[in-house]
Amino acid sequence: MELPLALPRRQSGFREAALFRPGSVVLVADPTLPEAALLAANLAAGGFQGSLHSVGLAAAGLQPAPCIAQLPEAPDLAVLCLPPEAQEPAMMDLAARGCFAAIVPVAAPDLAAMSERTGVRVLGAHSFGICLPAIGLNASLSHIAPRPGRLALLTQSSSLARTIIDWAAGEELGFSHIIGLGTNLGLGFALSLDWLARDAQAGAVLLDLRRIKNRRMFISAARATARTRPVVAIRPGGRQADLSGAANAVMEAALRRAGVLRVSGLEDLLSAAETLARLKPSQGRFQSTLAGDRLAIVANGQGPAQLAADAALQGGGHLAEWDEGVRESLALMLGQPAASLGNPLVLPPQRSHRLAEAASLLATVRGVDSVIVVHAPTIGQDSEATASAMAAATKANRGAPILVGWLGEAGAASAQRRLSENGIAVFSTPEAAIRGALHLAADRRNRAAAAELPARDVLELEPDRTEVGRIIDTARAEGRRDLNELEVLQILQAYGQAVVPGLPARSPAEAVKAAMQIGFPVVLKILSPDLPRKTEVGGVVLGIKDVSSLRATATHMLAQVKAARPDARLDGFLVQRLAGGTQRGHELRFHLGDDPMFGPWISYGRGGTASDFEPDVAYDLPPLNRTLALAMIRRTRGARLLEGFRDHPAIDTGLIVDTAVRLSQIAIDFPAIEDLIINPLLADAQGAMVLDASARLRPEGSVSLLAIPPYPAELARPWTARDGRQLMVRPIRPEDAAAHAEAFRSLAPEDVRWRFFNQLKEMPPAQIARMTQIDYDREMAFVAIEARPGETSRTAGVARLIREPGRNDGEFAVVTLPSWKGQGLGRHLMERLIEWARSQGLESITGQILADNRPMIGFVRALGFSITRPEADDDVVEARMALN
């Protein structure tokens, strides 16, 4: 909902802890509303460790007050169950009493504006409420009391919340947080995810995601959360809202970039929750594997084993393989011939009690990422004893995770319950167990991809932005949003993209002159901003071989197009060289588009006239580097053809990757472009060339923000050291990972201890990713880069500033390599950091310094920092600088 720009904003005293860890709560309710009694009962029965008050209704367990102003204390959190006309007066009274966090579980048509006017930050409208079982807070519309646990649920739907809570109760799963956003008019996903990212009580996070308000804040918060725990999301109604499926594909691409696992529906969400919530942190070997989807199946029946294997292969997984040594160990353990102990491993029903032993051994086998145990009902076997053995084996397991499919209903319920109570992921069918294992694999891949360390290779672009601006300004001046093909090709050329040579012509006679200059054979196209699909009106003719044919074709084309589209603006013709040689090439398509929720996106797939019907398309969000662009291309089935297949020659994939990176940079530099299609990009053994393209501008005055902040290249500046050596000081980027690791290895041990507060010998890849893949809206790291001719660039120093979301201060760190000390580099990096902090509106910056690091203490004092020593820690001092 858009708010008037002139709307006054009241200063808010909102604190996140008041919402997510309150010490006192008040229910302000109209007793005639049906939600009031349920909220009062849930609050009173939850065992809340703080104080509970009520205004407007009497309820057991809640201390009544005649009005908000007469509450005995300023509550941290208010639950407003009031009709719309009573909500703003209540919010004003809350603000006057010092309460700035509230939940609105009912309709509130003007909620966002009321929040702005009063300064009270609100969950709602139609919020399910908030449950924090660890402290006994149940300020929700739940039908049962959620039990404490590690799941966190962030939802917009009350009915889905109740469904998931009910399911979790049956599965013996509990929650750390249940947060209901409702219609998401007030507090949104980003604030809640940022809290969950910092709260050690939260384990796997489940998202019911329908509408976000700030795409950039959401992606940033989701990525911060997914760095430390699994995050799984569904989007109810996504396909209904966009029958093409593009919006769903864009959301999946956005979540992938954040490291979030997108699943298709409630069944998959619950399956993922069952698996991810029960995977112990100690089972960490799985987290370090690269594949994640190599599954070992052990069962007590051939049929269930085969169903599990089929499900694994159909779901894109792989059946793990093991060598003869493993077979011999299994044979010795199980008393079966080694030749029969493949994958799936099938035990006779009478040996079902040995399933746990087999699973434990397979979990330690190299090349096994997950073990799936499938138990079918048996005769003459004690299923309770088998379940107990499985529970013990899984608890003791330190190898790959073990998931259990315990089949049956009446006879299986007791065993399933026993396994659940012991924290084991248990499913009722082989397919569900396999799906859980594949969710583990997908979550690992997503989170690993979000933290992948790209190569040093960067496509350095030097585009002619002036020329592109001229083309856009010309179209604006002429009152049109659509660009003709020549203009779009010129934009692509300005970014270094190869395009088929061509010349414009205003008449058939000029077309002949252009063809003679280019050389026959040629392609003739009608030139019009109103005809993006020129072939549909006869606006494209290929392979014209001589002057007479060209003249006749041009005259006929002009008449034909005018008859078919008399309303279209015609700018003449485009005469192009006929592309393609003797070898068969690939027609590919790139599309830069815009999504209402996540903004600009880029897709890649097969090109040509049938591309609109080709489902083999991959999506991603700009900005793209070469690593991300290559990953997008490889997500298509057709990517295998690029390596060469039958009559298709092998293609230099790097040229296609570079096209994606160029298109990404166009999206960053010129947000006025709403839509740009390259179709086809002809890729063959000679190169990759754009044959046709179209583009459309946004309505004048409208803008679209990238969901992921682009690299701030404008902050790069050269710097000269005291001894004359030259450095480039610029923001860090993901491709600096290798140089960052090398710089760390060059630090003296004392510098490492002073910078990291311990004696690290090697920086883990995950930490390198965290330090080089930064969110430029939240933090900044300036690196000083030394480039020597013929050598790989090296890092000479880095200064970093990190701020918590929603706060106006940040924490700094700075380090320079030994060979650059005494050159003024550290001071320059800190000055750049302070300059950036002021530009972001920060009020202060602080830093923790070891008390024995006297050189750093003297350094920051000289910069103007004040030094204080915290009472609780004699080993550390704090440096602080006020910026206002």
Side-chain angles (χ1 to χ4, degrees):
M1 182 173 112
E2 296 296 329
L3 298 177
L5 293 177
L7 187 69
R9 178 179 175 85
R10 178 170 176 148
Q11 185 65 34
S12 176
F14 173 76
R15 296 177 297 111
E16 293 176 356
L19 178 64
F20 299 119
R21 192 63 54 177
S24 57
V25 179
V26 60
L27 173 63
V28 184
D30 181 337
T32 65
L33 294 179
E35 295 87 354
L38 178 58
L39 286 163
N42 282 345
L43 281 166
F48 182 51
Q49 300 166 7
S51 56
L52 293 172
H53 306 276
S54 66
V55 172
L57 86 168
L62 279 66
Q63 303 175 42
C67 63
I68 293 172
Q70 295 185 43
L71 285 167
E73 61 182 328
D76 290 325
L77 176 63
V79 183
L80 299 181
C81 187
L82 298 169
E85 64 274 9
Q87 291 164 4
E88 184 161 3
M91 291 168 69
M92 293 177 66
D93 290 344
L94 286 170
R97 190 67 182 86
C99 175
F100 295 95
I103 299 167
V104 176
V106 293
D110 198 30
L111 185 62
M114 287 191 293
S115 178
E116 290 287 323
R117 290 192 289 264
T118 63
V120 177
R121 307 288 298 278
V122 184
L123 284 176
H126 292 293
S127 168
F128 175 72
I130 191 166
C131 291
L132 304 169
I135 61 172
L137 178 63
N138 184 2
S140 81
L141 299 174
S142 180
H143 62 305
I144 58 176
R147 62 191 295 168
R150 299 272 296 159
L151 272 179
L153 173 62
L154 188 49
T155 178
Q156 293 191 247
S157 167
S158 292
S159 57
L160 271 180
R162 283 188 286 270
T163 300
I164 293 170
I165 291 169
D166 202 291
W167 165 83
E171 297 294 321
E172 308 290 338
L173 287 172
F175 295 87
S176 61
H177 305 74
I178 301 171
I179 304 167
L181 299 181
T183 54
N184 198 14
L185 293 175
L187 295 169
F189 284 96
L191 179 85
S192 301
L193 284 168
D194 275 326
W195 178 272
L196 295 176
R198 302 190 300 271
D199 195 326
Q201 292 186 359
V205 179
L206 309 181
L207 298 181
D208 158 33
L209 183 62
R210 304 178 190 196
R211 171 183 176 268
I212 63 170
K213 294 179 296 186
N214 187 311
R215 62 189 61 148
R216 188 169 285 185
M217 288 177 62
F218 169 78
I219 293 292
S220 177
R223 186 174 186 180
T225 308
R227 280 194 178 109
T228 55
R229 66 211 74 206
V231 183
V232 187
I234 57 171
R235 184 188 187 183
R239 192 58 186 261
Q240 181 183 6
D242 178 18
L243 297 179
S244 74
N248 260 349
V250 171
M251 168 173 273
E252 187 162 346
L255 295 177
R256 185 189 304 110
R257 287 288 287 274
V260 175
L261 173 62
R262 162 79 189 282
V263 295
S264 59
L266 181 60
E267 184 178 4
D268 274 351
L269 181 72
L270 299 182
S271 173
E274 171 76 25
T275 308
L276 298 171
R278 298 194 190 279
L279 180 63
K280 297 179 182 178
S282 60
Q283 289 175 275
R285 190 180 71 82
F286 170 77
Q287 300 298 329
S288 65
T289 60
L290 294 177
D293 60 3
R294 298 168 296 183
L295 311 182
I297 299 168
V298 55
N300 66 344
Q302 188 71 38
Q306 290 173 333
L307 288 173
D310 287 347
L313 297 173
Q314 290 167 5
H318 298 83
L319 297 180
E321 298 179 358
W322 42 80
D323 59 23
E324 193 61 34
V326 174
R327 290 175 183 266
E328 291 175 359
S329 297
L330 288 168
L332 185 63
M333 173 192 295
L334 301 173
Q336 292 182 224
S340 69
L341 302 177
N343 190 9
L345 170 60
V346 181
L347 305 184
Q350 63 270 24
R351 293 185 180 176
S352 298
H353 61 286
R354 310 298 298 272
L355 286 170
E357 296 173 73
S360 295
L361 190 152
L362 290 175
T364 65
V365 173
R366 188 176 185 86
V368 171
D369 297 318
S370 293
V371 179
I372 295 86
V373 178
V374 184
H375 178 278
T378 60
I379 299 173
Q381 290 284 302
D382 186 346
S383 62
E384 288 291 325
T386 301
S388 296
M390 185 62 62
T394 305
K395 275 192 169 183
N397 176 43
R398 292 296 180 268
I402 299 174
L403 294 81
V404 178
W406 200 278
L407 314 189
E409 189 65 36
S414 177
Q416 290 172 348
R417 189 179 308 110
R418 179 184 293 273
L419 293 169
S420 292
E421 289 171 349
N422 281 275
I424 297 167
V426 59
F427 306 86
S428 58
T429 66
E431 294 84 0
I434 292 293
R435 189 161 54 243
L438 294 178
H439 283 145
L440 280 179
D443 172 66
R444 194 257 170 246
R445 282 196 303 269
N446 275 9
R447 295 168 67 194
E452 185 177 0
L453 300 179
R456 296 176 187 260
D457 190 23
V458 176
L459 179 61
E460 299 288 356
L461 296 175
E462 296 181 1
D464 187 349
R465 295 183 176 91
T466 301
E467 172 65 8
V468 177
R470 182 196 64 77
I471 292 170
I472 293 174
D473 290 344
T474 298
R476 293 288 196 209
E478 295 175 357
R480 57 186 174 93
R481 293 175 55 196
D482 292 296
L483 305 182
N484 66 39
E485 182 182 348
L486 179 62
E487 291 171 324
V488 184
L489 293 176
Q490 288 171 337
I491 289 175
L492 294 170
Q493 276 187 301
Y495 277 77
Q497 176 61 47
V499 304
V500 63
L503 293 172
R506 301 199 63 85
S507 65
E510 287 189 15
V512 169
K513 292 180 181 178
M516 294 180 69
Q517 184 174 339
I518 293 171
F520 288 100
V522 297
V523 176
L524 183 69
K525 299 177 181 179
I526 200 72
L527 197 58
S528 170
D530 300 329
L531 299 172
R533 293 178 174 85
K534 297 178 285 293
T535 55
E536 296 177 359
V537 292
V540 179
V541 176
L542 307 177
I544 304 172
K545 297 180 178 179
D546 54 54
V547 169
S548 60
S549 298
L550 175 58
R551 186 179 292 110
T553 300
T555 302
H556 175 72
M557 179 184 291
L558 198 58
Q560 185 177 7
V561 172
K562 284 182 178 179
R565 286 290 305 273
D567 59 320
R569 165 180 166 155
L570 302 182
D571 295 331
F573 304 95
L574 179 61
V575 183
Q576 294 176 318
R577 189 185 71 199
L578 182 64
T582 57
Q583 289 185 313
R584 186 174 178 184
H586 300 263
E587 288 191 335
L588 308 173
R589 183 191 196 198
F590 281 101
H591 187 178
L592 166 63
D594 193 83
D595 178 71
M597 187 178 294
F598 288 101
W601 51 264
I602 292 173
S603 70
Y604 163 83
R606 304 300 298 175
T609 55
S611 60
D612 288 337
F613 304 98
E614 173 58 64
D616 187 25
V617 180
Y619 289 78
D620 212 321
L621 304 186
L624 295 177
N625 58 22
R626 278 178 162 158
T627 299
L628 292 168
L630 180 59
M632 177 178 69
I633 291 166
R634 286 178 172 168
R635 284 195 294 272
T636 63
R637 296 187 305 275
R640 289 174 292 179
L641 292 174
L642 303 179
E643 300 170 3
F645 181 76
R646 294 182 180 174
D647 58 340
H648 286 84
I651 303 302
D652 182 356
T653 310
L655 297 175
I656 305 171
V657 165
D658 289 351
T659 300
V661 174
R662 289 187 173 98
L663 192 57
S664 169
Q665 194 61 46
I666 291 172
I668 294 167
D669 293 345
F670 292 96
I673 297 176
E674 179 180 65
D675 193 85
L676 195 159
I677 298 174
I678 296 172
N679 186 23
L681 174 77
L682 181 64
D684 56 25
Q686 281 71 49
M689 180 181 296
V690 176
L691 304 190
D692 202 343
S694 62
R696 181 175 177 83
L697 304 179
R698 300 183 192 280
E700 196 157 9
S702 79
V703 294
S704 184
L705 184 72
L706 295 178
I708 301 170
Y711 179 73
E714 69 279 3
L715 298 180
R717 300 178 200 162
W719 178 79
T720 304
R722 290 169 181 161
D723 62 6
R725 286 182 289 173
Q726 298 285 321
L727 294 174
M728 176 60 71
V729 176
R730 57 166 174 79
I732 202 166
R733 58 191 178 197
E735 292 86 354
D736 291 322
H740 213 66
E742 291 166 4
F744 175 83
R745 290 191 287 268
S746 300
L747 292 175
E750 192 72 348
D751 287 337
V752 172
R753 186 179 70 85
W754 281 341
R755 168 62 181 88
F756 297 97
F757 287 29
N758 61 40
Q759 291 286 8
L760 288 175
K761 293 185 178 180
E762 187 73 23
M763 193 179 294
Q767 189 170 356
I768 296 174
R770 175 66 188 88
M771 299 181 81
T772 55
Q773 298 176 22
I774 69 173
D775 183 338
Y776 301 109
D777 283 349
R778 292 189 177 209
E779 57 187 300
M780 179 54 66
F782 285 106
V783 288
I785 301 297
E786 180 184 16
R788 295 180 178 177
E791 297 183 12
T792 303
S793 297
R794 296 186 291 184
T795 298
V798 58
R800 187 179 305 275
L801 185 68
I802 300 175
R803 58 175 174 174
E804 293 292 345
R807 296 183 56 175
N808 289 322
D809 59 356
E811 184 172 354
F812 76 88
V814 62
V815 66
T816 58
L817 265 64
S819 61
W820 285 91
K821 291 187 176 183
Q823 297 297 316
L825 177 58
R827 184 180 187 90
H828 177 74
L829 289 171
M830 282 298 297
E831 287 172 347
R832 290 293 309 274
L833 211 58
I834 294 167
E835 176 188 347
W836 180 83
R838 286 198 169 105
S839 73
Q840 299 298 304
L842 269 65
E843 296 175 357
S844 64
I845 58 175
T846 60
Q848 302 291 318
I849 305 172
L850 287 176
D852 65 344
N853 190 352
R854 298 188 181 280
M856 176 61 75
I857 294 172
F859 169 69
V860 296
R861 271 195 174 127
L863 285 170
F865 283 80
S866 61
I867 304 295
T868 58
R869 185 183 295 271
E871 295 181 4
D873 194 344
D874 292 336
D875 296 329
V876 174
V877 299
E878 181 176 273
R880 184 179 187 277
M881 173 185 284
L883 299 179
N884 52 14

